[in-house]
Amino acid sequence: MKADKYRFTVPDAMRLGLISGAGAVLVSLVGMVKVFNERGIIAGVVSLGQIMILLILLIAGYIAARRATGGSRWAGLLQGGLAGLAAGACLAALVLLGSVINLRAMFVSASPELYKILTFDQGVVTGAGILLVVSAAVGVAGALLRQLPSRPRRTVIVASVWMLTLGLLQELLRLTLGGDAIRVFRWMFGTGGQKGLSIVGAVLVFAVVAVVHYQWTARNVNPRAWTRSLPPDRQRAVRWGSLALVALILFSLPNILGVYLSEVANAIGLFVLLGLGLNIVVGFAGLLDLGYVAFFAIGAYVMGVATTTAVGTGSGLIVYSPGFNFWQALPLAVLASVLAGVILGIPVLKMRGDYLAIVTLGFGEIIRILAISDFLKPYIGGSQGIVGVGVGQIGSFAFDEPQSLYYLVLAGCLLAAFVSTRLKDSRIGRAWMAMREDEDVAQAIGIDLVKTKLLAFATGAAFSGLSGAIFASKLGSIYPHSFSLLISINALSLIIVGGMGSIPGVIIGALALAGLPELLREFAEFRLLVYGAALMAMMLLRPEGLWPEETRRRELHDAAEGGESEPASEAAVGTN
Amino acid sequence: MAILEVENVHTYYGNIHALKGISLTVNEGENVTLIGANGAGKSTLLKTISGLLHPKQGMIRLAGEDLAAYQAHEIVGKGVVQAPEGRRVFGRLTVSENLEMGAYTRVDRSGIADGIEHVFTLFPRLKERHNQVAGTLSGGEQQMLAIGRALMARPRVLLLDEPSMGLAPILVQSIFETIVQLHAAGTTILLVEQNARMALQIADRGYVLQTGQIILSDTAGNLRQNEMVQKAYLGMA
Ligand SMILES: Nc1ncnc2c1ncn2[C@@H]1O[C@H](COP(=O)(O)OP(=O)(O)O)[C@@H](O)[C@H]1O
Ligand SMILES: [Mg+2]
């Protein structure tokens, strides 16, 4: 690509605009815009639904301007405006079409409310006109953003993201800040039941973040380099100091978060546990396991059967329980999962890739169907599940509500993270890595594939079983429908998004994929759609994950530098 | 003294009878080559010796001990180490990490560090690139790395499967020079090659494999003079 050659093509901008327009029409027709319109970002001004559309237009303008390389400023802006206009035209066409024929027969969400949102409640013709103008303007704004020098551009983006995030989470903020604090900060939020930040609040958030970010990047501080420049004893002090700070935050989190957010944190924590386990199997050892939910289920059921108090012959009761307490049942649950891991491992020792994925997928389904079956109903409750699952207790401290259960989940996660980290750097970790890279060569350098694979399955299953056991105790009851394929897919998605094989990646992935849907309840309905889109975007833009593991980061980095074996995904995002 | 003895070995792929009664010996300190056309069964023999394939019949002995009871990874531990066909380095790991992987069966930390130094003196190019990701090395460098990785396991018998495959002539030359050097330093080598001309120049003895059977065995010098070998493998009229 020659930067000096002036490139500006109307068809290019139109094509971009039409593609983003199609995207905007899609999110409108599946109902996202309408549902998200309920959630204000800036009270009375703009909602999440509108932001979605605007963001699509903005990105279209941004990309269009990026492609107009070497041209004058105005050409770039024009290009962006054109792309925005083309995208807006798609939406306007949808509105006009909708006013003529009844699209609702096919698209349930093509409702009058949707048209109202898209036309700013100004009627079809005027509204469509406004829509076109706004779209073009947003396209130009995207182009302007592109033309900013990179530092102020980053500042604008970061500040906008902060404003958006705070607007999104305003309900939680109000909840968390509580009674007294909220009175002080009241002016920051919408009044009279309106959701979102107030205009003043939004501007303030934007301004504060922008100033802080701009100043921070000016000094160009790299914390790691700064730490390394210190004398060794100071370095150690910094390390211990930050560790202590993290520990303190983790420890006091439930009090800061309150009941509801602690519940969310627990859900995330259980997914971190699941993800850390699957990360060993898939990320470290390279064994694609799609039936991972099986071990989660086994852990939960062992905990349930071993501790339930609902024993008897009546409906909804199971015939036998040893009546263990939580702590007696916990190792049993983990052990059972490990055994199941080995039992699954043995028949698939010789399988690789897709075949392994399919067999493990089947295993997951078998466990779910067994759980639901009438055959085992007297023992594990069938579709009615098990109620009265025991809770953990240390002295008089019971892990029976979100804020206390948090510590149990935290302990599990810390243990799993510690074990993962140690394993990764150990001899077995190297064997996993060799096996992931090339199974035949691994064997040729003296690695026992049978032992290595079974250890991966067993360790992964242990974490999953632990997660399941805590999950059962957290809910107090177990139902087979909790153990669907979706759990396996969630766990796999989160390690892909976080970065395969990376332990911090698992945590980031769990926050993004398990945390966000909990916080944005509207998302739940579109969860799979969002997952799919997120995964595709990840594969295109950042295939190594949000927080990639060292070898993967290196691979993509080197490929880009050397240009010898550029992966296909890299080529796909090239700025052609 | 014979360190590796292969006796009447038959190996199958399902119904395909790939090795039909192979017998050969490699003596301590010897450099023995096995030549043969594409598909003759050379790689199959090396895999059988390494324990990656199991013979249906016959026996393989290392220093007199039957290897039948051992699995592939245990055989590496016993000192039969293969640099597989087609190089197969760990492309996403660095040169040093690849070498460390080669020492997987060893536990002596200082010995491993010495081993890496030894490989680096053999292949100075690898030393220059010790932090480079193996996948970005050239073909010749990857072959050096594959041999170096095999050396890291401290082989008593080093099995090399077509190290010259797909390399430019100048690199072929340098790989063969390294093999000579290794041999001179006392390494026992079983070298599988299609490049019969080069292989017979550096080996002590040779075997000719054809469709799963040994059809000739002699000193390398005699094989070079053999009319049949000249015609079929050395491309002479
Ligand atoms: N995995 C396999 N499955 C079935 N047949 C194989 C397999 N590998 C090799 N063969 C067959 O065994 C014979 C010997 O192959 P190979 O040992 O690879 O030959 P060489 O290394 O001498 O080129 C060939 O006929 C080949 O087609
Ligand atoms: Mg071969």
Side-chain angles (χ1 to χ4, degrees):
Chain A
M1 191 174 72
K2 278 193 204 136
D4 55 330
K5 195 165 160 240
Y6 169 57
R7 300 196 332 144
F8 170 73
T9 46
V10 175
D12 208 26
M14 296 296 271
R15 193 165 53 94
L16 251 169
L18 291 179
I19 291 172
S20 2
V25 169
L26 177 80
V27 294
S28 306
L29 285 182
V30 297
M32 280 175 125
V33 169
K34 200 182 100 202
V35 173
F36 291 168
N37 200 47
E38 309 287 309
R39 195 179 272 263
I41 299 292
I42 301 173
V45 180
V46 65
S47 73
L48 180 59
Q50 289 164 327
I51 294 255
M52 270 187 86
I53 299 271
L54 295 181
L55 214 55
I56 292 175
L57 300 173
L58 193 78
I59 291 171
Y62 185 94
I63 297 177
R66 192 175 64 183
R67 291 191 178 180
T69 47
S72 72
R73 222 143 236 273
W74 297 110
L77 295 185
L78 194 60
Q79 181 101 319
L82 261 177
L85 190 66
C90 295
L91 286 170
L94 172 68
V95 173
L96 292 176
L97 193 67
S99 68
V100 184
I101 48 176
N102 181 14
L103 289 176
R104 267 197 122 163
M106 222 155 141
F107 301 102
V108 198
S109 306
S111 59
E113 295 103 284
L114 174 67
Y115 300 138
K116 252 190 200 168
I117 299 165
L118 291 179
T119 55
F120 307 91
D121 208 3
Q122 299 295 321
V124 174
V125 179
T126 329
I130 300 177
L131 179 61
L132 287 177
V133 173
V134 169
S135 303
V138 174
V140 171
L144 266 176
L145 185 63
R146 167 66 204 175
Q147 289 178 352
L148 281 178
S150 88
R151 191 153 73 97
R153 181 168 70 211
R154 278 180 164 272
T155 297
V156 170
I157 293 175
V158 169
S160 310
V161 167
W162 268 87
M163 192 174 74
L164 245 174
T165 314
L166 290 186
L168 268 179
L169 304 183
Q170 56 91 24
E171 250 178 322
L172 293 167
L173 281 175
R174 290 196 213 200
L175 264 175
T176 317
L177 288 173
D180 292 334
I182 195 64
R183 232 160 278 144
V184 183
F185 289 105
R186 177 179 291 156
W187 50 271
M188 276 192 64
F189 300 105
T191 46
Q194 275 186 317
K195 290 183 180 174
L197 298 170
S198 65
I199 297 175
V200 183
V203 170
L204 189 81
V205 167
F206 188 92
V208 168
V209 174
V211 167
V212 170
H213 182 265
Y214 199 74
Q215 290 305 320
W216 179 262
T217 48
R219 282 199 287 149
N220 210 353
V221 213
N222 178 346
R224 197 164 288 184
W226 177 76
T227 319
R228 236 179 278 133
S229 70
L230 293 174
D233 55 326
R234 292 280 304 279
Q235 266 189 43
R236 195 169 312 147
V238 168
R239 194 151 359 108
W240 282 109
S242 40
L243 207 65
L245 189 69
V246 170
L248 188 72
I249 292 176
L250 282 178
F251 191 78
S252 45
L253 210 52
N255 289 323
I256 304 173
L257 292 180
V259 177
Y260 173 63
L261 280 186
S262 297
E263 177 71 29
V264 174
N266 292 342
I268 295 173
L270 290 180
F271 266 106
V272 168
L273 255 181
L274 267 178
L276 283 172
L278 190 61
N279 188 46
I280 286 180
V281 184
V282 182
F284 291 0
L287 304 164
L288 184 52
D289 182 351
L290 293 184
Y292 192 60
V293 64
F295 311 116
F296 184 70
I298 288 168
Y301 268 99
V302 170
M303 175 56 72
V305 170
T307 64
T308 181
T309 46
V311 184
T313 46
S315 145
L317 302 177
I318 61 172
V319 294
Y320 174 77
S321 162
F324 287 165
N325 69 32
F326 177 86
W327 298 112
Q328 291 166 321
L330 193 65
L332 215 62
V334 174
L335 201 70
S337 304
V338 166
L339 266 180
V342 172
I343 289 169
L344 167 69
I346 289 169
V348 300
L349 279 173
K350 297 252 143 134
M351 288 179 191
R352 293 178 193 186
D354 333 4
Y355 299 98
L356 178 65
I358 290 170
V359 173
T360 50
L361 185 70
F363 185 72
E365 280 301 283
I366 289 173
I367 296 294
R368 191 180 62 85
I369 287 168
L370 278 180
I372 237 169
S373 71
D374 285 335
F375 165 63
L376 290 176
K377 188 170 172 157
Y379 312 102
I380 62 172
S383 55
Q384 286 177 311
I386 301 173
V387 294
V389 181
V391 292
Q393 201 151 5
I394 298 178
S396 61
F397 188 88
F399 300 104
D400 57 353
E401 43 87 34
Q403 278 170 298
S404 57
L405 192 73
Y406 168 88
Y407 292 103
L408 189 61
V409 176
L410 179 67
C413 289
L414 289 179
L415 178 74
F418 177 74
V419 171
S420 287
T421 315
R422 295 309 298 260
L423 280 177
K424 187 175 180 163
D425 297 330
S426 73
R427 201 172 138 77
I428 183 72
R430 284 199 295 144
W432 281 334
M433 194 201 287
M435 191 168 76
R436 178 187 80 196
E437 300 292 316
D438 190 327
E439 217 175 290
D440 298 324
V441 178
Q443 206 174 7
I445 60 175
I447 289 168
D448 183 352
L449 289 185
V450 172
K451 197 178 93 187
T452 309
K453 278 192 185 180
L454 290 184
L455 260 171
F457 279 123
T459 320
F463 292 177
S464 185
L466 180 63
S467 185
I470 299 176
F471 173 77
S473 170
K474 168 177 172 249
L475 289 190
S477 52
I478 315 170
Y479 302 100
H481 67 74
S482 307
F483 306 103
S484 68
L485 174 64
L486 205 56
I487 304 271
S488 301
I489 293 181
N490 283 353
L492 192 61
S493 307
L494 80 86
I495 61 176
I496 291 173
V497 167
M500 282 259 191
S502 151
I503 295 164
V506 168
I507 297 164
I508 304 279
L511 279 171
L513 290 189
L516 281 185
E518 292 283 340
L519 292 180
L520 307 175
R521 268 158 282 113
E522 295 96 324
F523 261 127
E525 206 176 318
F526 305 103
R527 197 174 181 141
L528 287 179
L529 182 68
V530 172
Y531 270 26
L535 284 180
M536 274 183 345
M538 285 301 295
M539 290 302 106
L540 287 172
L541 301 174
R542 211 178 152 84
E544 73 274 31
L546 292 175
W547 190 316
E549 184 219 0
E550 175 64 24
T551 53
R552 274 168 217 271
R553 193 199 316 251
R554 218 158 47 195
E555 169 194 30
L556 293 160
H557 184 71
D558 274 38
E561 257 181 11
E564 280 185 57
S565 56
E566 199 166 278
S569 48
E570 282 281 301
V573 281
T575 53
N576 49 338
Chain B
M1 192 200 103
I3 183 151
L4 181 70
E5 296 163 276
V6 176
E7 210 177 286
N8 190 31
V9 159
H10 292 259
T11 302
Y12 290 75
Y13 291 106
N15 286 328
I16 302 168
H17 197 171
L19 297 183
K20 303 164 185 164
I22 304 280
S23 298
L24 61 76
T25 54
V26 178
N27 294 315
E28 188 112 50
E30 244 188 336
N31 181 0
V32 174
T33 186
L34 181 73
I35 59 177
N38 202 359
K42 306 182 295 294
S43 298
T44 306
L45 179 59
L46 288 199
K47 284 183 191 158
T48 309
I49 295 172
S50 302
L52 296 170
L53 295 171
H54 300 287
K56 206 166 212 176
Q57 196 189 324
M59 195 186 293
I60 297 162
R61 280 191 294 263
L62 179 72
E65 187 185 12
D66 186 357
L67 293 181
Y70 296 106
Q71 291 183 305
H73 65 273
E74 294 166 324
I75 291 176
V76 176
K78 293 206 158 282
V80 179
V81 187
Q82 185 180 167
E85 190 174 41
R87 308 190 264 280
R88 306 278 287 265
V89 294
F90 294 117
R92 298 198 295 192
L93 305 190
T94 64
V95 167
S96 298
E97 286 168 340
N98 264 277
L99 293 177
E100 280 160 22
M101 280 288 188
Y104 184 80
T105 50
R106 292 168 59 177
V107 283
D108 52 328
R109 286 219 153 265
S110 66
I112 293 173
D114 291 345
I116 291 183
E117 274 317 304
H118 173 63
V119 172
F120 283 161
T121 44
L122 267 176
F123 303 109
R125 289 179 73 98
L126 292 185
K127 182 169 187 154
E128 288 163 27
R129 293 166 165 67
H130 71 278
N131 256 334
Q132 191 173 328
V133 175
T136 61
L137 295 175
S138 74
E141 290 158 355
Q142 288 191 0
Q143 185 60 60
M144 292 172 195
L145 183 55
I147 295 176
R149 187 180 60 195
L151 288 174
M152 288 302 295
R154 261 197 308 213
R156 295 175 72 183
V157 184
L158 176 64
L159 311 178
L160 299 175
D161 196 345
E162 300 212 33
S164 75
M165 188 203 259
L167 295 185
I170 175 94
L171 288 172
V172 173
Q173 188 73 36
S174 103
I175 289 287
F176 274 98
E177 273 162 21
T178 316
I179 296 171
V180 169
Q181 215 179 324
L182 281 174
H183 178 218
T187 312
T188 308
I189 296 170
L190 176 56
L191 168 67
V192 158
E193 262 302 337
Q194 270 196 68
N195 190 337
R197 181 184 305 273
M198 297 288 282
L200 288 176
Q201 263 169 31
I202 63 162
D204 300 323
R205 290 190 299 117
Y207 292 86
V208 180
L209 189 65
Q210 196 177 71
T211 55
Q213 283 171 310
I214 303 268
I215 54 165
L216 264 179
S217 78
D218 210 329
T219 62
N222 286 346
L223 285 177
R224 278 203 304 271
Q225 302 307 320
N226 183 296
E227 208 174 308
M228 201 280 295
V229 172
Q230 288 188 345
K231 231 158 108 185
Y233 300 98
L234 301 178
M236 300 182 190

